[in-house]
Amino acid sequence: MAVVVPFEKDRASIEALVGATRADMDRVNAMIISRTGSEVTMIPEVANHLISSGGKRLRPMLTLATAALAGYQGEGHVKLAAAVEFMHTATLLHDDVVDESDMRRGKPAARMVWGNEASVLVGDFLLGQAFKMMVEVGSLRALDILSTAAAVIAEGEVMQLAAAKNTSTTEDEYLAVIRGKTAELFAAACEVGPVIAERPKAEQAAARAYGMNLGIAFQLVDDALDYGGKSQKLGKNTGDDFREGKITLPVVLAFRRGSEQERAFWKKVLVDGAITDGDLETAIGFMTRHGALTDTIERARHYGEMAKDALALFPDSAMKDALVQAVDFCIARAH
Amino acid sequence: MAVVVPFEKDRASIEALVGATRADMDRVNAMIISRTGSEVTMIPEVANHLISSGGKRLRPMLTLATAALAGYQGEGHVKLAAAVEFMHTATLLHDDVVDESDMRRGKPAARMVWGNEASVLVGDFLLGQAFKMMVEVGSLRALDILSTAAAVIAEGEVMQLAAAKNTSTTEDEYLAVIRGKTAELFAAACEVGPVIAERPKAEQAAARAYGMNLGIAFQLVDDALDYGGKSQKLGKNTGDDFREGKITLPVVLAFRRGSEQERAFWKKVLVDGAITDGDLETAIGFMTRHGALTDTIERARHYGEMAKDALALFPDSAMKDALVQAVDFCIARAH
């Protein structure tokens, strides 16, 4: 029996991007495996625990896609894409230590198996390997972009740390955090494509703008999903941010729009960490009352449109279409 | 009244190196301050807590000295030296989290003031800034050397983690750990001097060999000092390694040379962590009985001589003399 897939859903698929980058991604995956190798067996064990745990590898796909979009003919995009994934993996390993997370991608976090020590150090090893790969590619401009991203990501994470439990965080402050901790790597991953293809500055800036706005949209949707998304269905990761007292946009909006009584609730749960049974449901109820989740998704849609518009500079192609669909996919996750 | 300084003591001074690099180190220090700046105020706070805590800055001095030794005339050595110090600082911040240290350089460790989270993330920020500075210098070969060092350092630290509490660690395994975690950065810091001066490979290799052997000697002396050094006087950091169950050369030697009864003691304290009052003194007693500390210093002297011989390639100069004296200084710390 044929399954009828509605048009909109079809357009919001990652499959076009996966298909268009598949051949190169096979090479990236081989590179990733070879570069986690070490005589110190704990290193590939820890690295592969996370790397093989089924992430989508969206970021390296973006590097491959923007390189192709820019007509790149060389070999450097494979190493840069692997470097981008290593930077992301290093961030996740360190984040788990910072957030004291027990789980990651449905598996025990590496720190629960090998300890915080190994998570910190293997993250450092992967960062070192990432830079080695970039150096091998030999583009100083790509090195500049990705080393700047490394510093900006850490800066965004520290900013988040400083803003933790601060319910008076503004939407602008929240945006500054997610630009740093999430969107910067998307932006850098996309920018290096036209850079190694030696395309004009305007194309480099366009690819960067696509990545930056996609990254913001991606994180906004993630933050909404942590409260069940637009449908407010409770998924397996629902409530992680809530329990950690993270101030994300749904909280920022619900807090600002809430009554005095509601604000007292938010302070009790997020600042004092005094969470009791039913508090997550209460929080989602307040968010629903004030449209905090639907508006978070609306904001994501806004940045998603900016991402798509940024691509206008590039001639129409299957790869451009795949990148447009990837934006819709990231946003459609919230439904 | 004049103070008579004995000749040998005079030869074992860091002052010649400090003097010969002073003008450049002022620029390195200014660079360090400017590159820890961030609108996220926690970053300069954490970074400067450690950076301003009175480390000798031996590693950046080595970069400046080897660049001068190689006749370098440009400006890149200042940024590379600052990058080397940032890599070192990032390692210290992460080490404190890994070792759960309370103190560092006589002050509370950053993680005790700002938490593990900030130590991990500010370390990542400094690594990113280090790479940015290297990219600005523009030497792909120097980038290659220092990014390789970043990966090797992390590898050495993981190796140490895997060897922790393993009393059957061999001297070779111990040497592999300290080559990675300590000597590699000394080697890289020295190698980049002739590299940016575009001197022949032989000079680059000689500077690297000087740094590698100096680094090994430096760590051996550090490990002996942790048990009071050759004089077995108990200093303020005495016993840190002992309490953490770290298997350093003094332990390797004392364990191998010890009786069955002594080995049972080492297993009780280092593997089981069952340390009671007087155990550190007992440990030092066993080390003294078997000459483990004096032999550790002897080994350091051996690597120190190799470091000095590596410099033979360079014509005699005040800078070369200062580098030779720095070797003797590192070893004389143990007395």
Side-chain angles (χ1 to χ4, degrees):
Chain A
M1 206 174 83
V3 177
V4 178
V5 181
F7 178 71
E8 195 187 57
K9 169 106 171 109
D10 187 42
R11 296 291 304 165
S13 168
I14 197 71
E15 288 312 314
L17 185 61
V18 170
T21 57
R22 181 163 291 138
D24 277 344
M25 271 308 286
D26 287 346
R27 298 170 62 203
V28 171
N29 291 333
M31 181 72 65
I32 285 172
I33 289 166
S34 87
R35 294 307 178 102
T36 51
S38 166
E39 286 174 22
V40 185
T41 52
M42 199 191 274
I43 289 177
E45 280 171 21
V46 174
N48 292 326
H49 173 81
L50 184 54
I51 287 172
S52 68
S53 67
K56 288 177 299 297
R57 304 204 177 167
L58 180 56
R59 294 160 189 80
M61 268 195 273
L62 292 173
T63 299
L64 299 177
T66 55
L69 195 69
Y72 180 63
Q73 296 294 329
E75 294 292 317
H77 61 320
V78 171
K79 276 185 183 163
L80 287 184
V84 163
E85 184 67 7
F86 272 16
M87 285 176 68
H88 177 53
T89 307
T91 306
L92 295 184
L93 283 169
H94 287 183
D95 275 1
D96 285 342
V97 174
V98 168
D99 293 343
E100 301 182 345
S101 306
D102 300 341
M103 302 286 288
R104 165 74 66 185
R105 293 178 181 160
K107 287 168 76 170
R111 71 177 205 97
M112 301 305 288
V113 185
W114 290 275
N116 278 342
E117 305 93 324
S119 290
V120 171
L121 297 175
V122 175
D124 290 350
F125 174 80
L126 293 178
L127 264 184
Q129 291 291 70
F131 279 103
K132 269 177 72 82
M133 284 188 278
M134 295 172 210
V135 173
E136 286 166 20
V137 174
S139 161
L140 278 170
R141 181 79 191 109
L143 268 161
D144 182 26
I145 291 163
L146 288 165
S147 59
T148 299
V152 170
I153 292 164
E155 210 166 19
E157 304 259 7
V158 178
M159 217 187 292
Q160 175 169 272
L161 199 63
K165 300 174 190 298
N166 177 10
T167 53
S168 66
T169 301
T170 65
E171 181 164 350
D172 282 334
E173 287 165 342
Y174 163 83
L175 277 171
V177 168
I178 70 171
R179 273 177 192 277
K181 74 164 191 166
T182 306
E184 177 73 21
L185 187 55
F186 277 80
C190 291
E191 188 177 6
V192 294
V195 163
I196 53 170
E198 297 178 352
R199 298 294 305 163
K201 285 272 178 209
E203 285 189 24
Q204 300 175 18
R208 178 176 178 81
Y210 168 81
M212 179 63 80
N213 287 295
L214 173 63
I216 294 171
F218 183 91
Q219 186 62 55
L220 284 165
V221 168
D222 243 32
D223 291 345
L225 281 171
D226 210 82
Y227 290 93
K230 202 175 173 181
S231 66
Q232 288 116 43
K233 276 186 207 132
L234 300 186
K236 70 174 175 204
N237 294 318
T238 311
D240 280 356
D241 292 346
F242 184 69
R243 278 182 292 272
E244 288 166 17
K246 269 195 193 152
I247 310 295
T248 59
L249 190 60
V251 173
V252 170
L253 296 178
F255 182 83
R256 299 207 160 238
R257 296 170 183 180
S259 64
E260 277 307 309
Q261 213 173 3
E262 287 177 27
R263 289 185 193 179
F265 166 83
W266 289 114
K267 286 191 170 161
K268 173 184 88 77
V269 292
L270 297 176
V271 182
D272 308 336
I275 299 178
T276 50
D277 275 0
D279 279 351
L280 177 60
E281 290 72 14
T282 303
I284 294 172
F286 290 162
M287 286 176 173
T288 308
R289 175 183 301 169
H290 300 295
L293 292 168
T294 46
D295 282 0
T296 297
I297 306 298
E298 267 317 303
R299 304 284 212 272
R301 208 180 300 280
H302 161 81
Y303 290 102
E305 290 306 314
M306 287 172 70
K308 292 185 212 168
D309 282 333
L311 293 178
L313 204 69
F314 296 96
D316 286 340
S317 68
M319 191 60 91
K320 178 172 163 178
D321 200 46
L323 286 167
V324 168
Q325 287 182 49
V327 174
D328 291 330
F329 166 79
C330 286
I331 291 163
R333 292 184 305 149
H335 291 274
Chain B
M1 208 174 80
V3 177
V4 179
V5 181
F7 178 72
E8 195 186 60
K9 172 107 170 103
D10 188 40
R11 295 293 303 168
S13 167
I14 196 73
E15 287 313 312
L17 186 61
V18 169
T21 57
R22 181 163 291 138
D24 278 343
M25 272 306 288
D26 286 347
R27 298 168 63 204
V28 171
N29 291 332
M31 181 73 65
I32 284 172
I33 290 166
S34 86
R35 294 306 177 101
T36 51
S38 166
E39 286 175 22
V40 186
T41 51
M42 199 191 276
I43 289 177
E45 279 171 23
V46 174
N48 292 326
H49 173 79
L50 184 53
I51 287 172
S52 67
S53 67
K56 285 177 301 295
R57 305 204 176 165
L58 180 56
R59 293 160 189 80
M61 267 195 273
L62 292 174
T63 299
L64 300 178
T66 56
L69 195 68
Y72 180 64
Q73 295 293 332
E75 294 292 317
H77 61 319
V78 171
K79 277 185 183 163
L80 287 184
V84 163
E85 183 67 6
F86 273 16
M87 286 176 67
H88 177 54
T89 308
T91 306
L92 295 183
L93 284 167
H94 287 185
D95 275 1
D96 284 343
V97 174
V98 167
D99 293 342
E100 302 183 345
S101 307
D102 300 341
M103 302 287 285
R104 166 73 67 185
R105 293 177 181 161
K107 287 168 74 171
R111 71 178 204 96
M112 300 305 288
V113 185
W114 290 275
N116 278 340
E117 306 92 325
S119 289
V120 171
L121 297 174
V122 175
D124 290 349
F125 174 80
L126 292 178
L127 263 184
Q129 291 291 69
F131 280 104
K132 272 177 71 82
M133 283 189 278
M134 295 173 212
V135 172
E136 286 167 19
V137 174
S139 160
L140 278 170
R141 181 77 193 110
L143 270 160
D144 183 25
I145 290 162
L146 288 164
S147 59
T148 298
V152 170
I153 292 164
E155 212 167 17
E157 303 258 7
V158 178
M159 216 187 294
Q160 175 169 269
L161 200 61
K165 299 177 192 294
N166 177 9
T167 52
S168 67
T169 302
T170 64
E171 182 165 351
D172 282 333
E173 287 165 344
Y174 163 82
L175 276 172
V177 168
I178 70 171
R179 271 177 194 277
K181 75 163 192 169
T182 307
E184 178 73 20
L185 187 56
F186 278 79
C190 290
E191 188 178 3
V192 295
V195 162
I196 52 170
E198 298 178 352
R199 296 296 302 164
K201 284 275 180 207
E203 284 188 25
Q204 299 175 17
R208 177 175 178 80
Y210 167 81
M212 179 62 80
N213 287 296
L214 174 62
I216 294 171
F218 183 90
Q219 187 61 57
L220 283 165
V221 168
D222 243 30
D223 291 346
L225 281 171
D226 210 82
Y227 290 95
K230 201 174 175 181
S231 66
Q232 289 114 45
K233 278 187 208 130
L234 301 185
K236 70 177 176 204
N237 294 317
T238 310
D240 280 356
D241 292 345
F242 184 69
R243 279 181 292 273
E244 288 165 17
K246 270 197 194 149
I247 310 294
T248 58
L249 189 60
V251 172
V252 170
L253 295 179
F255 182 81
R256 302 213 153 233
R257 297 171 182 179
S259 64
E260 278 307 311
Q261 210 173 2
E262 287 177 26
R263 290 186 192 178
F265 166 82
W266 289 114
K267 285 191 171 159
K268 174 185 87 80
V269 292
L270 297 176
V271 183
D272 308 337
I275 299 177
T276 50
D277 276 0
D279 280 350
L280 177 60
E281 288 72 13
T282 303
I284 294 173
F286 291 161
M287 287 176 173
T288 307
R289 176 182 300 169
H290 299 295
L293 292 169
T294 46
D295 282 359
T296 296
I297 306 299
E298 267 318 302
R299 304 285 212 270
R301 207 180 301 279
H302 161 81
Y303 290 103
E305 290 306 315
M306 288 173 68
K308 291 186 211 169
D309 281 334
L311 292 178
L313 205 70
F314 297 96
D316 286 340
S317 68
M319 192 59 91
K320 179 172 160 179
D321 199 45
L323 286 167
V324 168
Q325 287 182 50
V327 174
D328 291 330
F329 166 78
C330 285
I331 292 164
R333 293 184 304 149
H335 291 276

